[in-house]
Amino acid sequence: MRTYKIAAIPADGIGREVIEAGNEVLGVLAQRDGDLRFDITSFDWGSDHYKTHGEMMPENGLEQLKPFDAIYFGAVGAPDVPDHITLWGLRLPICQGFDQYANVRPTKIIPGVTSPLRGVEVGDLDWVIVRENSEGEYSGHGGRAHKGMPEEVGTEVSIFTRVGVTRIMRYAFQLAQSRPRKLLTVVTKSNAQRFGMVMWDEIAAEVAQDFPDVTWDKMLVDAMTVRMVKNPRSLDTIVATNLHADILSDLAGALAGSLGVAPTANIDPERRFPSMFEPIHGSAFDITGQGIANPVAAFWTASQMLEHLVEQDASTRLMRAVEKVCADGILTPDVGGTATTREVTDAVCKAIRGDNS
Ligand code: IPM
Ligand code: MG
């Protein structure tokens, strides 16, 4: 029996609803396989934990997570807790503490979901954004002085290290090489930001020499937004800094039809620590408890998790089931349907059970 220990952290809002759905689907995949088992432990960390204990997770949170094979994460954010507390109290400490430096965000148009771009259909938009996930604009370096005074200053320093940039660049080139088109676009803003970003460009050129079969080009981030909208077919794998890729991945999700379906994987490529898998969407308190959250992003990221665990068959089977259900029009309201989370989940479970390939 292949058994994987999964730490589920549903956290806030619809995070709980979609992770519950995802856990159920994992169970069905295990049954379907017969020789596969997920040993899922749920942690009740998040904003409620913060309100009762004054912290998003216990001090030894990372120690508790370390023995797991992977982390399945919902969403953080609550209307009555400041966003920087929820973020820096849970998700970022896990990403940074476990050195999950590669944030991988695939986007494609799922059958049944319509892109807002005219004439762009399934297959026309199939990208993977590789987001640097350990430094850059999210390094937490900065401060405030003279608080509340007219002369108050706030600094937010981006940190780019040769080690950090080289490793994400290698990861991106490798990923591009593994995809059929072997095409990589390196995004920076090296015209205006003339230190760290120029270093990115230089390191990209150095790393490229080890990947002669990968075709690559460079884009400035502002021009990149235009290219994504006007010429989506010209892109495949994309690598960018923490903040640039944060923004581009929202745009990518919107162009593919909905952020509700977009997944993300926070990966430690060296596998020293558990990697973490989550939907990109947030806690969505406006629809929490209504049973209409779109579970597709949580399923898709579970598929990424299975791929990371080298359970390729289960990973592919899950995505096939999701695509079938969406193509059949069983969609939640955010993607134009009327189905509930329950109905989409049941349909995906049924498709997995009935998948004989
Ligand atoms: C994302 C999100 C987060 C980020 C937010 C919640 C801080 O937008 O995963 O893209 O910026 O990293
Ligand atoms: Mg974002």
Side-chain angles (χ1 to χ4, degrees), residues 87 91 105 131 138 242 246 249-250 264 278 280:
L87 182 67
R91 190 171 157 270
R105 303 188 152 189
R131 171 178 179 183
Y138 282 60
N242 215 330
D246 173 45
S249 58
D250 264 27
T264 180
E278 56 174 339
I280 291 190

PDB file of all heavy atoms in Angstrom, residues 87 91 105 131 138 242 246 249-250 264 278 280, ligand 1:
ATOM      1  N   LEU A  87      -1.843  36.590   6.709  1.00  0.00           N
ATOM      2  CA  LEU A  87      -0.867  36.110   5.729  1.00  0.00           C
ATOM      3  C   LEU A  87       0.472  35.779   6.367  1.00  0.00           C
ATOM      4  O   LEU A  87       1.020  34.691   6.190  1.00  0.00           O
ATOM      5  CB  LEU A  87      -0.688  37.170   4.645  1.00  0.00           C
ATOM      6  CG  LEU A  87       0.261  36.762   3.535  1.00  0.00           C
ATOM      7  CD1 LEU A  87      -0.325  35.628   2.720  1.00  0.00           C
ATOM      8  CD2 LEU A  87       0.553  37.946   2.623  1.00  0.00           C
ATOM      9  N   ARG A  91       0.442  31.450   6.149  1.00  0.00           N
ATOM     10  CA  ARG A  91       0.851  30.949   4.843  1.00  0.00           C
ATOM     11  C   ARG A  91       2.314  31.270   4.539  1.00  0.00           C
ATOM     12  O   ARG A  91       3.086  30.402   4.130  1.00  0.00           O
ATOM     13  CB  ARG A  91      -0.059  31.553   3.790  1.00  0.00           C
ATOM     14  CG  ARG A  91       0.123  30.937   2.448  1.00  0.00           C
ATOM     15  CD  ARG A  91      -0.956  31.409   1.494  1.00  0.00           C
ATOM     16  NE  ARG A  91      -0.472  31.270   0.149  1.00  0.00           N
ATOM     17  CZ  ARG A  91       0.180  32.220  -0.503  1.00  0.00           C
ATOM     18  NH1 ARG A  91       0.412  33.376   0.061  1.00  0.00           N
ATOM     19  NH2 ARG A  91       0.605  32.008  -1.719  1.00  0.00           N
ATOM     20  N   ARG A 105       1.993  27.872 -10.994  1.00  0.00           N
ATOM     21  CA  ARG A 105       0.593  28.237 -11.230  1.00  0.00           C
ATOM     22  C   ARG A 105       0.187  27.936 -12.666  1.00  0.00           C
ATOM     23  O   ARG A 105       0.342  28.770 -13.556  1.00  0.00           O
ATOM     24  CB  ARG A 105       0.398  29.724 -10.924  1.00  0.00           C
ATOM     25  CG  ARG A 105       0.825  30.045  -9.508  1.00  0.00           C
ATOM     26  CD  ARG A 105       0.494  31.442  -9.051  1.00  0.00           C
ATOM     27  NE  ARG A 105       0.330  31.404  -7.604  1.00  0.00           N
ATOM     28  CZ  ARG A 105      -0.125  32.388  -6.861  1.00  0.00           C
ATOM     29  NH1 ARG A 105      -0.490  33.514  -7.422  1.00  0.00           N
ATOM     30  NH2 ARG A 105      -0.239  32.244  -5.560  1.00  0.00           N
ATOM     31  N   ARG A 131       6.428  31.295 -10.130  1.00  0.00           N
ATOM     32  CA  ARG A 131       6.579  32.491  -9.296  1.00  0.00           C
ATOM     33  C   ARG A 131       7.692  32.255  -8.285  1.00  0.00           C
ATOM     34  O   ARG A 131       7.660  31.265  -7.554  1.00  0.00           O
ATOM     35  CB  ARG A 131       5.244  32.740  -8.584  1.00  0.00           C
ATOM     36  CG  ARG A 131       5.285  33.802  -7.523  1.00  0.00           C
ATOM     37  CD  ARG A 131       3.889  33.991  -6.910  1.00  0.00           C
ATOM     38  NE  ARG A 131       3.923  34.991  -5.861  1.00  0.00           N
ATOM     39  CZ  ARG A 131       2.876  35.337  -5.109  1.00  0.00           C
ATOM     40  NH1 ARG A 131       1.693  34.756  -5.329  1.00  0.00           N
ATOM     41  NH2 ARG A 131       2.985  36.242  -4.174  1.00  0.00           N
ATOM     42  N   TYR A 138       8.505  40.039  -1.424  1.00  0.00           N
ATOM     43  CA  TYR A 138       7.834  39.465  -0.255  1.00  0.00           C
ATOM     44  C   TYR A 138       8.849  39.057   0.819  1.00  0.00           C
ATOM     45  O   TYR A 138       8.564  38.197   1.632  1.00  0.00           O
ATOM     46  CB  TYR A 138       7.031  38.223  -0.649  1.00  0.00           C
ATOM     47  CG  TYR A 138       5.706  38.489  -1.325  1.00  0.00           C
ATOM     48  CD1 TYR A 138       5.650  39.189  -2.529  1.00  0.00           C
ATOM     49  CD2 TYR A 138       4.512  38.026  -0.781  1.00  0.00           C
ATOM     50  CE1 TYR A 138       4.441  39.407  -3.175  1.00  0.00           C
ATOM     51  CE2 TYR A 138       3.297  38.243  -1.420  1.00  0.00           C
ATOM     52  CZ  TYR A 138       3.277  38.934  -2.616  1.00  0.00           C
ATOM     53  OH  TYR A 138       2.069  39.137  -3.251  1.00  0.00           O
ATOM     54  N   ASN A 242       8.309  37.344  -7.344  1.00  0.00           N
ATOM     55  CA  ASN A 242       7.211  37.078  -6.429  1.00  0.00           C
ATOM     56  C   ASN A 242       6.007  37.996  -6.707  1.00  0.00           C
ATOM     57  O   ASN A 242       4.880  37.522  -6.899  1.00  0.00           O
ATOM     58  CB  ASN A 242       7.751  37.302  -5.001  1.00  0.00           C
ATOM     59  CG  ASN A 242       7.141  36.350  -4.001  1.00  0.00           C
ATOM     60  OD1 ASN A 242       6.004  35.923  -4.161  1.00  0.00           O
ATOM     61  ND2 ASN A 242       7.883  36.024  -2.954  1.00  0.00           N
ATOM     62  N   ASP A 246       2.616  37.300  -8.957  1.00  0.00           N
ATOM     63  CA  ASP A 246       1.355  37.386  -8.216  1.00  0.00           C
ATOM     64  C   ASP A 246       0.314  38.092  -9.080  1.00  0.00           C
ATOM     65  O   ASP A 246      -0.813  37.620  -9.247  1.00  0.00           O
ATOM     66  CB  ASP A 246       1.590  38.163  -6.907  1.00  0.00           C
ATOM     67  CG  ASP A 246       0.287  38.442  -6.174  1.00  0.00           C
ATOM     68  OD1 ASP A 246      -0.532  37.517  -6.070  1.00  0.00           O
ATOM     69  OD2 ASP A 246       0.097  39.587  -5.721  1.00  0.00           O
ATOM     70  N   SER A 249      -0.509  36.196 -12.390  1.00  0.00           N
ATOM     71  CA  SER A 249      -1.320  34.982 -12.245  1.00  0.00           C
ATOM     72  C   SER A 249      -2.793  35.312 -12.007  1.00  0.00           C
ATOM     73  O   SER A 249      -3.666  34.542 -12.397  1.00  0.00           O
ATOM     74  CB  SER A 249      -0.762  34.055 -11.158  1.00  0.00           C
ATOM     75  OG  SER A 249      -0.698  34.708  -9.918  1.00  0.00           O
ATOM     76  N   ASP A 250      -3.084  36.454 -11.420  1.00  0.00           N
ATOM     77  CA  ASP A 250      -4.487  36.870 -11.339  1.00  0.00           C
ATOM     78  C   ASP A 250      -5.029  37.162 -12.737  1.00  0.00           C
ATOM     79  O   ASP A 250      -6.140  36.760 -13.092  1.00  0.00           O
ATOM     80  CB  ASP A 250      -4.645  38.138 -10.476  1.00  0.00           C
ATOM     81  CG  ASP A 250      -5.022  37.811  -9.038  1.00  0.00           C
ATOM     82  OD1 ASP A 250      -4.677  36.701  -8.585  1.00  0.00           O
ATOM     83  OD2 ASP A 250      -5.656  38.653  -8.377  1.00  0.00           O
ATOM     84  N   THR A 264      -2.493  26.414  -7.224  1.00  0.00           N
ATOM     85  CA  THR A 264      -1.089  26.777  -7.056  1.00  0.00           C
ATOM     86  C   THR A 264      -0.371  25.759  -6.183  1.00  0.00           C
ATOM     87  O   THR A 264      -0.960  25.158  -5.287  1.00  0.00           O
ATOM     88  CB  THR A 264      -0.963  28.213  -6.494  1.00  0.00           C
ATOM     89  OG1 THR A 264       0.406  28.547  -6.348  1.00  0.00           O
ATOM     90  CG2 THR A 264      -1.638  28.385  -5.172  1.00  0.00           C
ATOM     91  N   GLU A 278      -2.559  24.594  -2.833  1.00  0.00           N
ATOM     92  CA  GLU A 278      -3.716  25.418  -2.448  1.00  0.00           C
ATOM     93  C   GLU A 278      -4.397  25.997  -3.685  1.00  0.00           C
ATOM     94  O   GLU A 278      -3.774  26.173  -4.722  1.00  0.00           O
ATOM     95  CB  GLU A 278      -3.255  26.568  -1.532  1.00  0.00           C
ATOM     96  CG  GLU A 278      -2.169  27.399  -2.180  1.00  0.00           C
ATOM     97  CD  GLU A 278      -1.742  28.643  -1.411  1.00  0.00           C
ATOM     98  OE1 GLU A 278      -2.503  29.124  -0.564  1.00  0.00           O
ATOM     99  OE2 GLU A 278      -0.654  29.138  -1.701  1.00  0.00           O
ATOM    100  N   ILE A 280      -5.773  29.245  -5.634  1.00  0.00           N
ATOM    101  CA  ILE A 280      -5.309  30.647  -5.583  1.00  0.00           C
ATOM    102  C   ILE A 280      -6.368  31.533  -4.929  1.00  0.00           C
ATOM    103  O   ILE A 280      -6.051  32.498  -4.244  1.00  0.00           O
ATOM    104  CB  ILE A 280      -4.996  31.181  -7.004  1.00  0.00           C
ATOM    105  CG1 ILE A 280      -3.746  30.482  -7.561  1.00  0.00           C
ATOM    106  CG2 ILE A 280      -4.766  32.682  -6.976  1.00  0.00           C
ATOM    107  CD1 ILE A 280      -3.221  31.096  -8.842  1.00  0.00           C
TER     108      ILE A 280
HETATM  109  C1  IPM B   1      -1.752  34.781  -3.999  1.00  0.00           C
HETATM  110  C2  IPM B   1      -2.386  35.763  -3.097  1.00  0.00           C
HETATM  111  C3  IPM B   1      -1.489  36.080  -1.918  1.00  0.00           C
HETATM  112  C4  IPM B   1      -0.164  36.595  -2.405  1.00  0.00           C
HETATM  113  C5  IPM B   1      -2.168  37.052  -0.975  1.00  0.00           C
HETATM  114  C6  IPM B   1      -3.347  36.398  -0.282  1.00  0.00           C
HETATM  115  C7  IPM B   1      -1.246  37.655  -0.009  1.00  0.00           C
HETATM  116  O1  IPM B   1      -2.724  36.912  -3.785  1.00  0.00           O
HETATM  117  O2  IPM B   1      -1.455  33.659  -3.561  1.00  0.00           O
HETATM  118  O3  IPM B   1      -1.548  35.097  -5.165  1.00  0.00           O
HETATM  119  O4  IPM B   1      -0.022  37.736  -2.803  1.00  0.00           O
HETATM  120  O5  IPM B   1       0.788  35.832  -2.406  1.00  0.00           O
END
